[in-house]
Amino acid sequence: MSGGATAVMAAAAVAGAAISYQNGQEQKKAAEKASQQAERNALKQEKAADEANNRANQKKADPLAALNAAELSGRGGQSGTMLTGPQGVDVDALNLERSTLLGG
């Protein structure tokens, strides 16, 4: 082979290597893009499954339990509240006529 033919073959080999490199980079980008899309799809599916689970396990109000609690608290008597308890308010605590200064 002559020197010109060898140069042409070498140029063709370099061009082929460059094209192979470029194709490899394009495949790498395509694979990264597909991976990101797969991750987004997985997150969407996870969110949808979580929402479906939340819909299935909704907490519901229990009006019967609230009524029973109100009924039980009413049995404490007229003076029985959450603040005073069933014994009511101590009458001496309400006395404002103190013999000391400033009510102390």
Side-chain angles (χ1 to χ4, degrees):
M1 286 194 197
S2 67
T6 306
V8 170
M9 288 177 55
V14 168
I19 290 173
S20 293
Y21 175 77
Q22 188 176 19
N23 287 342
Q25 292 300 314
E26 289 173 2
Q27 288 176 351
K28 180 181 174 184
K29 287 180 184 178
E32 288 174 357
K33 187 175 180 181
S35 174
Q36 290 172 353
Q37 183 63 38
E39 187 176 345
R40 284 193 297 269
N41 289 341
L43 288 174
K44 283 182 185 177
Q45 287 177 347
E46 181 182 0
K47 183 179 178 185
D50 189 38
E51 289 175 356
N53 187 29
N54 289 344
R55 274 193 302 276
N57 297 322
Q58 285 183 8
K59 294 182 179 178
K60 295 177 177 69
D62 189 0
L64 187 58
L67 182 63
N68 288 339
E71 203 174 291
L72 287 175
S73 68
R75 290 185 184 163
Q78 189 173 8
S79 63
T81 66
M82 289 176 27
L83 298 176
T84 63
Q87 74 276 3
V89 177
D90 184 20
V91 178
D92 293 332
L94 298 176
N95 188 5
L96 299 178
E97 297 175 16
R98 305 250 178 180
S99 58
T100 59
L101 295 175
L102 299 176

